[in-house]
Every structure is written in structure tokens, then in C-alpha cells.
């Protein structure tokens, strides 16, 4: 993983939250909130919370006396999330690396993490930390994207942006968000971290956007793909976004567009 892959800062949090979240994260956040709330946990830790889409879905489902600690590596994502959340004394916002959690052993009923594990430089270390802070019987609920070919818009954008930089194509989307999809590897990593009971569900959804340009702007300007494009030539960000717009419009049509997305949802315990 490149260093810039985990930098969600500058204008990324706003584009991420306003464009990426409704496009591909919201549907999975609703499902994750239901999974987490199903056992009425008294204490929840969320890691890699980003701009707070799961937090907004889950907080209303937790009991009045629940403790909900919401963390992310990037303070600017967390600031954005907090600014969107209504006042809620149950929620504690805290900057934290999921690989070095600043919490006591056995202090949460559930750890949840939506689409964050792909960014962990060492997944076994991240899972070991999640397990360490779980109480006996606790559950680690998380999700990762399936391969890029199962995620239509991400694939289209990656191929289109490659035409702008044919000798050094930006591969952020394939390398990181869609680079950790092998179920056997995920099971093995969880086992190495000590989890004994592992359930994995592959979920397909349909992502919708008002236009191809919304999709292209979301991926090119609201994710660390932007860092990769700007590192090559910042003046080509608009051209890259235009090429991605054309590619999506030619495959999915002018006007509102819809594309397949697919992810693995994992519940680990024991
Ligand atoms: C694709 S976003 C997902 C955010 C949010 N969970 C959602 O579903 O919208 C990935 C997030 O992982 C965070 N992140 C990257 N590396 C991390 C780490 N080592 N520990 C905690 N968070 C990390 C990033 O700051 C970013 O907010």
C-alpha cells in the first residue's frame, strides 16, 4: 500500500461524505448498524469510522445508556463525522490507529469497522487489537470490498484514468479498497489473530447516482485516488475526471446511472 492511500484529508472528507457515501457506503452502513444493534450491545467501538455513515445509522439503534466510542486514523474525517452528528452524550470521538488502540483489554461488547481493514498495513495486527479490546463473547463486525471487477464504477474509473497516465496508471482503487477480497486469506488472517468463529456473507448492492459526472467526481476527487493523480500532475485532475465521466456515461448512459457493487461482510468471535 502506498503512504498516500491512507491520507483522507484536505478536500477529501467533504467530497467523500457528500458524493462517495451516498454512492456506495450508505447501503452497507444500514446493514452493519442492524448487525451490530441486533445483540443490544452496552459498549461499541467503531474503528476507521471515516465521515460517520455507520455512526449516524447505528447511534439511534443503541440503548440510552450505551457507550459508543468512534475512532479513525485521520482527525479530519472524524471532525467531519462529528460535525454531522447531533449532540449525543453516549458518543466519544477519538483519533486512533486501529493497529494500536488506546483502550484497555476486554472493554467493548462489539468492535465494528466498515471498509477500513483494507487500509491496515498489517491486518493480523489490526484484528489482534480488535480481539484484545473485546470482552469474552464479544463480536468483531467488519466489511471489505470484493474484487474491483465486481464493482462496476470503480473498475470503469480505474480504466479511464489509466488513459491519462498510460505509462504510470494510478492503481489506488484496485490496490487498496479492492485489494483485500480473498475469503480464504481473510479467514486465515482472523484465525492468526485468534478468532475461532468466522462468518462471511458476500452482499451485492446497486449503487445509484444522478449522473456519470457525480460518480467520476466522487472517485477521482473524494478518495485518495486524488492524491495519486495530483502526485503525477495536479493540472490533470479535471481531465482525469472528464475521462472517467465519459467512460461511465458510455457504459451506463446519460442521466441517472446505476452500477453493481459487491462486498464481504464478516462477523468474527471466539
Ligand atoms: C473507505 S474509508 C471508510 C470510512 C467509513 N467506515 C465508511 O464506511 O464510510 C476508510 C477509512 O479508514 C481510515 N483509516 C485508514 N487507515 C486506518 C488505520 N490504520 N486505523 C484507523 N483508521 C484508518 C481512513 O482515515 C478512512 O476514514
Amino acid at each position: 500500500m502506498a503512504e498516500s492511500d491512507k491520507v483522507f484529508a484536505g478536500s477529501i472528507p467533504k467530497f467523500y461524505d457528500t458524493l462517495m457515501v451516498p454512492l456506495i457506503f450508505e447501503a452497507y452502513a444500514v446493514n452493519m448498524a442492524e448487525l451490530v444493534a441486533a445483540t443490544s450491545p452496552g459498549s461499541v467501538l467503531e474503528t476507521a469510522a471515516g465521515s460517520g455513515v455507520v455512526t449516524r445509522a447505528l447511534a439511534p439503534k443503541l440503548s440510552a445508556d450505551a457507550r459508543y466510542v468512534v475512532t479513525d486514523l485521520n482527525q479530519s474525517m472524524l471532525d467531519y463525522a462529528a460535525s454531522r452528528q447531533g449532540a449525543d452524550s453516549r458518543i466519544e470521538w477519538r483519533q486512533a490507529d486501529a493497529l494500536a488502540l488506546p483502550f484497555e483489554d476486554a472493554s467493548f461488547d462489539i468492535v465494528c469497522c466498515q471498509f477500513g481493514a483494507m487500509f491496515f498495513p498489517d491486518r493480523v495486527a489490526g484484528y489482534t487489537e480488535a480481539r484484545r479490546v473485546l470482552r469474552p463473547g464479544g463480536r468483531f463486525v467488519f466489511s471489505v470490498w470484493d474484487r474491483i471487477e465486481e464493482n462496476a464504477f470503480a473498475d470503469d474509473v480505474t480504466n479511464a484514468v489509466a488513459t491519462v497516465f498510460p505509462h504510470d496508471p494510478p492503481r489506488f482503487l484496485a490496490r487498496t479498497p479492492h485489494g483485500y477480497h480473498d475469503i480464504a486469506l481473510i479467514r486465515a488472517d482472523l484465525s492468526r489473530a485468534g478468532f475461532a468463529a468466522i462468518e462471511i456473507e458476500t452482499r451485492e448492492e446497486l449503487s445509484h447516482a444522478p449522473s456519470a459526472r457525480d460518480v467520476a467526481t466522487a472517485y477521482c476527487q473524494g478518495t485518495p485516488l486524488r492524491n495519486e493523480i495530483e502526485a503525477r500532475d495536479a493540472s490533470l485532475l479535471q481531465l482525469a475526471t472528464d475521462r472517467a465521466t465519459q467512460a461511465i456515461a458510455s457504459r451506463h448512459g446519460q442521466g441517472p446511472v446505476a452500477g453493481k457493487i459487491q462486498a464481504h461482510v464478516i462477523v468474527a468471535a471466539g
Side-chain angles (χ1 to χ4, degrees):
M1 186 175 75
E3 255 323 282
S4 64
D5 286 9
K6 60 184 182 195
V7 178
F8 287 71
S11 50
I12 290 178
K14 179 168 176 273
F15 279 111
Y16 177 90
D17 193 63
T18 54
L19 295 174
M20 284 306 286
V21 163
L23 188 63
I24 58 173
F25 292 96
E26 220 147 46
Y28 289 98
V30 170
N31 173 249
M32 175 154 292
E34 282 164 4
L35 265 177
V36 171
T39 50
S40 306
S43 54
V44 177
L45 170 65
E46 183 177 353
T47 58
S51 61
V53 63
V54 170
T55 318
R56 291 190 287 279
L58 177 56
K61 295 183 180 298
L62 296 177
S63 64
D65 58 352
R67 174 181 181 228
Y68 188 6
V69 181
V70 182
T71 65
D72 193 276
L73 181 68
N74 285 290
Q75 183 68 48
S76 45
M77 288 297 260
L78 218 47
D79 289 343
Y80 199 94
S83 76
R84 287 213 51 194
Q85 193 82 33
D88 189 332
S89 59
R90 301 169 304 167
I91 299 179
E92 182 188 326
W93 304 95
R94 185 144 178 200
Q95 187 278 333
D97 184 339
L99 277 69
L101 294 170
F103 306 108
E104 305 265 307
D105 294 359
S107 41
F108 296 95
D109 296 323
I110 292 201
V111 176
C112 65
C113 179
Q114 173 166 281
F115 301 123
M118 307 86 79
F119 295 85
F120 298 173
D122 179 342
R123 276 97 191 203
V124 177
Y127 300 162
T128 303
E129 270 298 82
R131 188 164 178 274
R132 179 184 67 75
V133 302
L134 279 172
R135 295 202 175 98
R139 296 188 305 151
F140 178 35
V141 183
F142 71 102
S143 53
V144 297
W145 291 115
D146 203 345
R147 67 185 74 245
I148 197 164
E149 293 81 5
E150 303 289 354
N151 287 269
F153 293 147
D155 203 26
D156 293 342
V157 168
T158 298
N159 293 332
V161 172
T163 67
V164 181
F165 304 98
H167 303 299
D168 184 17
R171 297 287 299 163
F172 163 73
L173 292 170
R175 178 179 60 241
T176 299
H178 296 283
Y180 184 60
H181 50 73
D182 180 341
I183 285 176
L185 176 62
I186 295 167
R187 281 187 185 280
D189 286 348
L190 284 163
S191 297
R192 266 184 232 123
F195 287 102
I198 300 160
E199 285 171 26
I200 302 182
E201 183 199 1
T202 300
R203 285 182 72 91
E204 179 183 336
E205 300 275 355
L206 200 58
S207 77
H208 299 271
S211 71
R213 181 156 298 281
D214 285 79
V215 177
T217 307
Y219 279 98
C220 295
Q221 304 191 25
T223 75
L225 175 58
R226 180 187 191 126
N227 303 334
E228 256 195 317
I229 295 169
E230 290 183 334
R232 284 162 176 73
D233 186 341
S235 71
L236 295 181
L237 180 64
Q238 197 50 53
L239 176 65
T241 310
D242 291 344
R243 288 268 174 92
T245 303
Q246 288 155 10
I248 292 164
S250 72
R251 288 181 63 121
H252 302 275
Q254 306 287 342
V257 290
K260 177 190 169 183
I261 48 176
Q262 190 158 292
H264 304 308
V265 179
I266 301 120
V267 180

